[in-house]
Amino acid sequence: MRGARIAELMSAAVARRTIAVDVEVALRDLLVRSGAAPLAWFASRDESLRDSYRQQVLRTAIAEQQLERLALAIEAAGLRPILGKGWAVARAYPDPALRPYGDFDLYASPDEYERLRDVVASTPLDLFGVDVHRGASYLDDRSFADVHARALILPIGSATMRVFAAEDQLRLVCIHALAEGMIRPPWLCDIAMLVQSADATFDWEWFRSGDSRRTEYALAALGLAQQLLGITIPIDVPPPPRWLARAVLRVWGSGPLAKGSRMTFADARKGGRTVRALIDRWPNPIEATIGMNGAINAMPRLPFQLAEIVRRMRAFVSR
């Protein structure tokens, strides 16, 4: 129920329309925890959410300053990473403060990876972390050189920063959101905002190129945004299976449990809470499917969830 109400708010925010929604305490807590509170305020103008938006306005201003500082250090080192997600995606929103983020994701070529990590380590940022990726992560079914050649160079204060081309950015956020179980409503809104900001030069053939399974995931994410947020997709996408939307609404209604916040097995063993750790780590149908490189179809998801939990247990034992 709450998941459906969150989807209603996100759909209104994406469409830039205002709706009347009773935001009770439990719903507000879910919105704040998931990073969706500014978007919910934008859609409802509910006074209980106004402070969340105001705080994000301040954080966005600080993010601009800290990203400029980081970009200057990177330029001074002669490095050329690509910035993805977060700040780069917030540009597609009517107000960047509607899209909270807590870190900057930098994607480096293998030969610049270690040097970039050193620069990041020597440029501490007060409120934001920096994730340095070797290669292009979920875009590594393409050559990094091709992705890098398509990147855009944008100003950030007195510095500049490369960001992924629109087609690569959209494919990245689609696959990343599903791989993480689509636990945060802003991730689906990212997809919607990027689609709506695409102009006539957007190369849909390039977006669909690459590994066929990853393309399947990217198209499924587009279909999900179409189904739950009501956006129009300019290409034909297969309708997502019913379990996909149900899984999203279920996790939105219960609140996100990010991988980094789950109880570790080591701590669980010390405290005799192994069962609790297993429950925390039980993968939702979406992340289990992506984790096992499974097809997104109408077949039951339990086999993927069981296989994924076994894979995680094996990884823990091997460590």
Side-chain angles (χ1 to χ4, degrees):
M1 181 65 176
R2 291 195 182 106
R5 292 172 68 194
I6 291 174
E8 183 182 11
L9 282 164
M10 297 301 100
S11 177
V14 166
R16 306 187 189 191
R17 55 186 172 84
T18 304
I19 60 173
V21 176
D22 179 23
V23 183
E24 79 276 9
V25 173
L27 180 59
R28 184 175 70 248
D29 288 347
L30 284 172
L31 291 166
V32 170
R33 286 170 53 200
S34 67
L39 278 164
W41 172 81
F42 183 69
S44 67
R45 294 303 197 268
D46 187 280
E47 284 299 317
S48 68
L49 297 170
R50 185 181 292 274
D51 282 347
S52 293
Y53 169 71
R54 287 173 172 167
Q55 291 170 11
Q56 191 54 39
V57 169
L58 178 59
R59 282 185 61 88
T60 298
I62 295 172
E64 292 276 339
Q65 296 173 353
Q66 298 207 348
L67 182 58
E68 178 186 10
R69 179 184 174 193
L70 179 62
L72 287 170
I74 291 171
E75 285 182 346
L79 302 176
R80 305 184 304 159
I82 306 173
L83 180 69
K85 299 184 293 185
W87 180 87
V89 172
R91 297 168 51 250
Y93 283 71
D95 178 349
L98 297 176
R99 177 49 169 95
Y101 50 90
D103 54 23
F104 303 116
D105 285 273
L106 295 175
Y107 300 80
S109 62
D111 60 315
E112 291 189 353
Y113 175 74
E114 295 297 341
R115 291 168 57 206
L116 181 61
R117 290 190 61 184
D118 291 341
V119 170
V120 167
S122 62
T123 315
L125 305 181
D126 298 329
L127 296 178
F128 295 84
V130 181
D131 287 338
V132 181
H133 305 265
R134 186 192 298 272
S137 185
Y138 295 109
L139 300 176
D140 62 6
D141 55 338
R142 303 167 174 181
S143 77
F144 188 84
D146 287 343
V147 172
H148 196 277
R150 294 173 57 83
L152 310 175
I153 300 177
L154 300 179
I156 174 67
S158 60
T160 59
M161 181 68 76
R162 282 175 174 78
V163 301
F164 287 108
E167 299 85 355
D168 294 321
Q169 192 77 259
L170 179 58
R171 187 177 173 94
L172 172 65
V173 299
C174 283
I175 300 172
H176 166 264
L178 288 184
E180 295 293 325
M182 197 63 78
I183 61 175
R184 299 187 185 279
W187 291 347
L188 192 59
C189 292
D190 288 347
I191 295 168
M193 293 296 188
L194 288 173
V195 169
Q196 292 182 159
S197 65
D199 59 24
T201 66
F202 191 97
D203 188 345
W204 285 102
E205 287 305 312
W206 176 257
F207 169 81
R208 288 183 289 199
S209 66
D211 177 77
S212 60
R213 182 69 82 200
R214 292 190 186 182
T215 297
E216 176 188 340
Y217 296 157
L219 293 176
L222 291 181
L224 192 61
Q226 187 173 50
Q227 179 181 1
L228 292 183
L229 303 184
I231 67 168
T232 299
I233 308 295
I235 60 172
D236 290 332
V237 296
R242 286 184 295 177
W243 63 264
L244 187 56
R246 287 201 302 263
V248 170
L249 296 180
R250 188 181 305 116
V251 73
W252 286 4
S254 59
L257 186 61
K259 293 176 182 177
S261 66
R262 295 168 178 169
M263 182 186 300
T264 67
F265 280 124
D267 290 341
R269 289 177 62 195
K270 293 176 185 176
R273 294 178 291 176
T274 302
V275 173
R276 177 72 260 175
L278 285 171
I279 293 173
D280 280 355
R281 275 169 170 68
W282 180 254
N284 76 28
I286 307 170
E287 64 176 313
T289 300
I290 309 304
M292 298 307 299
N293 198 36
I296 295 183
N297 53 31
M299 298 297 290
R301 296 297 103 181
L302 182 59
F304 291 109
Q305 291 171 287
L306 292 172
E308 176 67 3
I309 201 68
V310 168
R311 185 184 68 81
R312 295 179 184 181
M313 288 293 294
R314 284 177 175 170
F316 169 70
V317 171
S318 68
R319 288 196 300 270

